[in-house]
Structure formats: structure tokens, C-alpha cells
Short mmCIF file of all heavy atoms in Angstrom, two decimals:
data_model
loop_
_atom_site.label_atom_id
_atom_site.label_comp_id
_atom_site.label_asym_id
_atom_site.label_seq_id
_atom_site.Cartn_x
_atom_site.Cartn_y
_atom_site.Cartn_z
N ALA R 242 0.83 -1.17 -0.01
CA ALA R 242 0.03 -0.01 -0.02
C ALA R 242 0.85 1.27 -0.01
O ALA R 242 0.51 2.26 -0.61
CB ALA R 242 -0.90 0.00 1.21
N ASP R 243 1.95 1.26 0.69
CA ASP R 243 2.82 2.37 0.75
C ASP R 243 3.58 2.55 -0.66
O ASP R 243 3.80 3.72 -0.98
CB ASP R 243 3.90 2.19 1.88
CG ASP R 243 4.36 3.52 2.41
OD1 ASP R 243 3.51 4.38 2.66
OD2 ASP R 243 5.54 3.68 2.61
N LEU R 244 3.79 1.53 -1.31
CA LEU R 244 4.49 1.62 -2.63
C LEU R 244 3.58 2.29 -3.66
O LEU R 244 4.05 2.84 -4.70
CB LEU R 244 4.90 0.23 -3.12
CG LEU R 244 5.89 -0.48 -2.30
CD1 LEU R 244 6.19 -1.88 -2.78
CD2 LEU R 244 7.21 0.27 -2.12
N LEU R 245 2.31 2.40 -3.39
CA LEU R 245 1.42 3.05 -4.29
C LEU R 245 1.85 4.54 -4.54
O LEU R 245 1.64 5.11 -5.57
CB LEU R 245 -0.05 3.02 -3.85
CG LEU R 245 -0.67 1.64 -3.91
CD1 LEU R 245 -2.03 1.74 -3.21
CD2 LEU R 245 -0.89 1.21 -5.33
N GLN R 246 2.40 5.16 -3.54
CA GLN R 246 2.84 6.56 -3.58
C GLN R 246 4.31 6.64 -3.80
O GLN R 246 4.95 7.71 -3.59
CB GLN R 246 2.38 7.29 -2.28
CG GLN R 246 0.88 7.45 -2.18
CD GLN R 246 0.34 8.30 -3.35
OE1 GLN R 246 0.89 9.26 -3.68
NE2 GLN R 246 -0.75 7.79 -3.93
N GLY R 247 5.00 5.54 -4.07
CA GLY R 247 6.41 5.58 -4.39
C GLY R 247 7.30 5.69 -3.23
O GLY R 247 8.48 6.13 -3.34
N VAL R 248 6.88 5.33 -2.01
CA VAL R 248 7.73 5.44 -0.85
C VAL R 248 8.48 4.07 -0.75
O VAL R 248 7.86 2.98 -0.62
CB VAL R 248 6.87 5.65 0.47
CG1 VAL R 248 7.74 5.67 1.70
CG2 VAL R 248 6.07 6.93 0.30
N ASP R 249 9.76 4.08 -0.82
CA ASP R 249 10.53 2.85 -0.80
C ASP R 249 10.85 2.44 0.61
O ASP R 249 11.52 3.13 1.42
CB ASP R 249 11.92 3.19 -1.49
CG ASP R 249 12.80 1.97 -1.56
OD1 ASP R 249 12.33 0.86 -1.20
OD2 ASP R 249 13.97 2.09 -1.97
N LEU R 250 10.33 1.28 1.05
CA LEU R 250 10.51 0.79 2.38
C LEU R 250 11.56 -0.24 2.43
O LEU R 250 11.75 -0.90 3.46
CB LEU R 250 9.20 0.18 2.89
CG LEU R 250 8.01 1.20 2.99
CD1 LEU R 250 6.77 0.43 3.47
CD2 LEU R 250 8.36 2.28 3.94
N SER R 251 12.17 -0.58 1.31
CA SER R 251 13.13 -1.68 1.23
C SER R 251 14.54 -1.35 1.73
O SER R 251 15.37 -2.22 1.93
CB SER R 251 13.18 -2.24 -0.18
OG SER R 251 13.61 -1.26 -1.08
N GLY R 252 14.88 -0.08 1.78
CA GLY R 252 16.25 0.34 2.14
C GLY R 252 16.54 -0.01 3.64
O GLY R 252 15.69 0.12 4.46
N SER R 253 17.73 -0.37 3.84
CA SER R 253 18.14 -0.77 5.23
C SER R 253 18.47 0.46 5.97
O SER R 253 19.00 1.44 5.44
CB SER R 253 19.33 -1.75 5.24
OG SER R 253 20.42 -1.21 4.54
N ASP R 254 18.35 0.47 7.33
CA ASP R 254 18.66 1.59 8.13
C ASP R 254 20.20 1.63 8.36
O ASP R 254 20.86 0.63 8.20
CB ASP R 254 18.02 1.44 9.49
CG ASP R 254 16.51 1.66 9.42
OD1 ASP R 254 16.07 2.57 8.76
OD2 ASP R 254 15.84 0.89 10.07
N ASP R 255 20.70 2.79 8.77
CA ASP R 255 22.07 2.93 9.16
C ASP R 255 22.33 1.90 10.25
O ASP R 255 21.56 1.67 11.13
CB ASP R 255 22.32 4.31 9.63
CG ASP R 255 23.74 4.51 10.14
OD1 ASP R 255 24.66 4.76 9.39
OD2 ASP R 255 23.88 4.38 11.39
N GLU R 256 23.59 1.30 10.19
CA GLU R 256 23.85 0.25 11.15
C GLU R 256 23.77 0.64 12.61
O GLU R 256 23.21 -0.12 13.42
CB GLU R 256 25.33 -0.25 10.90
CG GLU R 256 25.70 -1.43 11.71
CD GLU R 256 27.13 -1.97 11.41
OE1 GLU R 256 27.68 -1.45 10.38
OE2 GLU R 256 27.62 -2.85 12.07
N VAL R 257 24.18 1.84 12.90
CA VAL R 257 24.15 2.32 14.35
C VAL R 257 22.78 2.50 14.71
O VAL R 257 22.30 2.08 15.83
CB VAL R 257 24.96 3.60 14.47
CG1 VAL R 257 24.79 4.18 15.85
CG2 VAL R 257 26.39 3.39 14.17
N VAL R 258 21.91 3.14 13.86
CA VAL R 258 20.49 3.34 14.18
C VAL R 258 19.81 2.03 14.29
O VAL R 258 18.98 1.82 15.23
CB VAL R 258 19.79 4.25 13.07
CG1 VAL R 258 18.36 4.32 13.34
CG2 VAL R 258 20.49 5.57 13.00
N SER R 259 20.13 0.99 13.51
CA SER R 259 19.50 -0.21 13.52
C SER R 259 19.81 -0.91 14.99
O SER R 259 18.95 -1.49 15.59
CB SER R 259 20.02 -1.18 12.50
OG SER R 259 19.48 -2.43 12.55
N VAL R 260 21.00 -0.81 15.41
CA VAL R 260 21.41 -1.37 16.71
C VAL R 260 20.62 -0.72 17.87
O VAL R 260 20.11 -1.36 18.73
CB VAL R 260 22.92 -1.24 16.95
CG1 VAL R 260 23.24 -1.64 18.38
CG2 VAL R 260 23.66 -2.12 15.98
N LEU R 261 20.51 0.60 17.76
CA LEU R 261 19.76 1.32 18.79
C LEU R 261 18.24 1.01 18.77
O LEU R 261 17.65 0.92 19.85
CB LEU R 261 19.96 2.81 18.58
CG LEU R 261 21.37 3.41 18.82
CD1 LEU R 261 21.51 4.84 18.38
CD2 LEU R 261 21.75 3.25 20.28
N MET R 262 17.70 0.83 17.61
CA MET R 262 16.36 0.39 17.49
C MET R 262 16.18 -0.96 18.20
O MET R 262 15.19 -1.23 18.93
CB MET R 262 15.90 0.39 16.06
CG MET R 262 15.79 1.73 15.37
SD MET R 262 15.38 1.62 13.61
CE MET R 262 13.70 1.02 13.76
N ASP R 263 17.09 -1.87 17.85
CA ASP R 263 17.03 -3.19 18.52
C ASP R 263 17.04 -3.17 20.04
O ASP R 263 16.34 -3.87 20.79
CB ASP R 263 18.08 -4.12 18.01
CG ASP R 263 17.93 -4.50 16.55
OD1 ASP R 263 16.70 -4.39 16.06
OD2 ASP R 263 18.91 -4.88 15.91
N LEU R 264 17.90 -2.27 20.51
CA LEU R 264 18.01 -2.03 21.98
C LEU R 264 16.71 -1.47 22.58
O LEU R 264 16.28 -1.94 23.60
CB LEU R 264 19.17 -1.16 22.27
CG LEU R 264 20.62 -1.67 22.01
CD1 LEU R 264 21.64 -0.64 22.29
CD2 LEU R 264 20.85 -2.95 22.94
N ALA R 265 16.12 -0.53 21.86
CA ALA R 265 14.86 0.03 22.37
C ALA R 265 13.73 -0.95 22.34
O ALA R 265 12.95 -0.98 23.28
CB ALA R 265 14.48 1.23 21.50
N ARG R 266 13.75 -1.89 21.37
CA ARG R 266 12.71 -2.84 21.26
C ARG R 266 12.82 -3.96 22.43
O ARG R 266 11.89 -4.69 22.61
CB ARG R 266 12.71 -3.58 19.97
CG ARG R 266 12.27 -2.67 18.82
CD ARG R 266 11.96 -3.45 17.54
NE ARG R 266 11.61 -2.53 16.46
CZ ARG R 266 12.45 -2.24 15.48
NH1 ARG R 266 13.67 -2.74 15.40
NH2 ARG R 266 12.09 -1.42 14.54
N ILE R 267 14.00 -4.05 23.03
CA ILE R 267 14.08 -4.97 24.19
C ILE R 267 13.08 -4.65 25.22
O ILE R 267 12.55 -5.49 25.92
CB ILE R 267 15.54 -4.85 24.77
CG1 ILE R 267 16.55 -5.46 23.80
CG2 ILE R 267 15.64 -5.65 26.13
CD1 ILE R 267 18.03 -5.27 24.22
N GLU R 268 12.74 -3.37 25.40
CA GLU R 268 11.68 -2.97 26.34
C GLU R 268 10.26 -2.99 25.71
O GLU R 268 9.33 -3.49 26.27
CB GLU R 268 11.97 -1.60 26.92
CG GLU R 268 10.90 -1.15 27.84
CD GLU R 268 11.09 0.30 28.35
OE1 GLU R 268 12.19 0.86 28.10
OE2 GLU R 268 10.19 0.82 29.05
N THR R 269 10.18 -2.45 24.51
CA THR R 269 8.82 -2.24 23.97
C THR R 269 8.27 -3.51 23.40
O THR R 269 7.00 -3.76 23.42
CB THR R 269 8.87 -1.16 22.84
OG1 THR R 269 9.76 -1.54 21.85
CG2 THR R 269 9.22 0.22 23.38
N ALA R 270 9.08 -4.48 22.87
CA ALA R 270 8.58 -5.67 22.28
C ALA R 270 7.77 -6.49 23.28
O ALA R 270 6.65 -6.98 23.08
CB ALA R 270 9.71 -6.49 21.67
N PRO R 271 8.31 -6.76 24.51
CA PRO R 271 7.48 -7.47 25.47
C PRO R 271 6.21 -6.79 25.90
O PRO R 271 5.20 -7.44 26.14
CB PRO R 271 8.48 -7.66 26.70
CG PRO R 271 9.76 -7.42 26.08
CD PRO R 271 9.70 -6.46 25.01
N ARG R 272 6.26 -5.48 25.91
CA ARG R 272 5.01 -4.74 26.27
C ARG R 272 3.98 -4.85 25.11
O ARG R 272 2.79 -4.91 25.38
CB ARG R 272 5.38 -3.29 26.51
CG ARG R 272 6.30 -3.04 27.67
CD ARG R 272 6.74 -1.63 27.77
NE ARG R 272 5.65 -0.79 28.08
CZ ARG R 272 5.65 0.55 27.78
NH1 ARG R 272 6.63 1.07 27.05
NH2 ARG R 272 4.53 1.23 28.01
N SER R 273 4.49 -4.90 23.92
CA SER R 273 3.51 -5.07 22.75
C SER R 273 2.90 -6.46 22.84
O SER R 273 1.67 -6.62 22.70
CB SER R 273 4.31 -4.95 21.44
OG SER R 273 4.83 -3.64 21.26
N ARG R 274 3.76 -7.48 23.08
CA ARG R 274 3.23 -8.86 23.24
C ARG R 274 2.27 -8.99 24.32
O ARG R 274 1.22 -9.61 24.31
CB ARG R 274 4.40 -9.84 23.36
CG ARG R 274 5.25 -9.94 22.06
CD ARG R 274 6.14 -11.14 22.21
NE ARG R 274 7.15 -11.02 23.18
CZ ARG R 274 8.39 -10.41 22.99
NH1 ARG R 274 8.67 -10.05 21.74
NH2 ARG R 274 9.24 -10.35 23.93
N ALA R 275 2.51 -8.31 25.48
CA ALA R 275 1.63 -8.35 26.66
C ALA R 275 0.28 -7.76 26.23
O ALA R 275 -0.81 -8.35 26.65
CB ALA R 275 2.31 -7.65 27.80
N PHE R 276 0.25 -6.61 25.60
CA PHE R 276 -1.03 -6.06 25.19
C PHE R 276 -1.77 -6.96 24.18
O PHE R 276 -3.02 -7.15 24.33
CB PHE R 276 -0.84 -4.67 24.57
CG PHE R 276 -2.14 -4.14 24.05
CD1 PHE R 276 -3.15 -3.83 24.85
CD2 PHE R 276 -2.32 -3.91 22.69
CE1 PHE R 276 -4.41 -3.33 24.42
CE2 PHE R 276 -3.49 -3.43 22.17
CZ PHE R 276 -4.55 -3.15 23.05
N ALA R 277 -1.06 -7.53 23.23
CA ALA R 277 -1.70 -8.41 22.31
C ALA R 277 -2.34 -9.59 22.98
O ALA R 277 -3.47 -9.97 22.64
CB ALA R 277 -0.65 -8.90 21.29
N ASP R 278 -1.71 -10.21 23.96
CA ASP R 278 -2.26 -11.35 24.70
C ASP R 278 -3.50 -10.94 25.51
O ASP R 278 -4.57 -11.64 25.50
CB ASP R 278 -1.19 -11.94 25.66
CG ASP R 278 -0.07 -12.58 24.93
OD1 ASP R 278 -0.21 -12.93 23.70
OD2 ASP R 278 0.98 -12.74 25.54
N ILE R 279 -3.50 -9.76 26.16
CA ILE R 279 -4.66 -9.25 26.83
C ILE R 279 -5.76 -8.94 25.91
O ILE R 279 -6.93 -9.24 26.24
CB ILE R 279 -4.27 -8.04 27.67
CG1 ILE R 279 -3.29 -8.39 28.80
CG2 ILE R 279 -5.53 -7.30 28.19
CD1 ILE R 279 -2.79 -7.19 29.65
N LEU R 280 -5.51 -8.39 24.75
CA LEU R 280 -6.47 -8.10 23.76
C LEU R 280 -7.18 -9.34 23.22
O LEU R 280 -8.43 -9.37 23.16
CB LEU R 280 -5.91 -7.28 22.58
CG LEU R 280 -6.78 -6.90 21.48
CD1 LEU R 280 -7.96 -6.02 22.00
CD2 LEU R 280 -6.03 -6.04 20.45
N VAL R 281 -6.43 -10.38 22.94
CA VAL R 281 -6.96 -11.67 22.55
C VAL R 281 -7.94 -12.19 23.61
O VAL R 281 -9.06 -12.64 23.33
CB VAL R 281 -5.92 -12.67 22.23
CG1 VAL R 281 -6.57 -14.06 21.97
CG2 VAL R 281 -5.19 -12.29 20.90
#
């Protein structure tokens, strides 16, 4: 759906930013899963 407007989502992030994103998800990913389980 995003490609309909020519927005390229396939490019990889800068390596440092990617690492920092992974670190941030260490906290947010379990919280997302917890909400998903409660929602089900």
C-alpha cells in the first residue's frame, strides 16, 4: 500500500541506528506482546 505513492520501504537503516532500535525494542517488544495477549 505504501508503494502506491512511491515510498521505498526496502532500504536498510544505518547500522548504528539499527542497533539502537533493537536495543529500544528490548523494552517495547515484550510490552507489545503483553497487550496483544490481553487483547485476545
Side-chain angles (χ1 to χ4, degrees):
D243 208 46
L244 297 177
L245 289 172
Q246 292 298 317
V248 179
D249 181 9
L250 299 177
S251 61
S253 60
D254 291 316
D255 175 85
E256 183 177 354
V257 175
V258 175
S259 179
V260 170
L261 291 171
M262 291 177 68
D263 289 340
L264 291 174
R266 290 194 184 104
I267 291 176
E268 177 183 352
T269 55
R272 297 173 65 206
S273 297
R274 292 192 292 268
F276 173 65
D278 292 339
I279 291 174
L280 181 54
V281 169

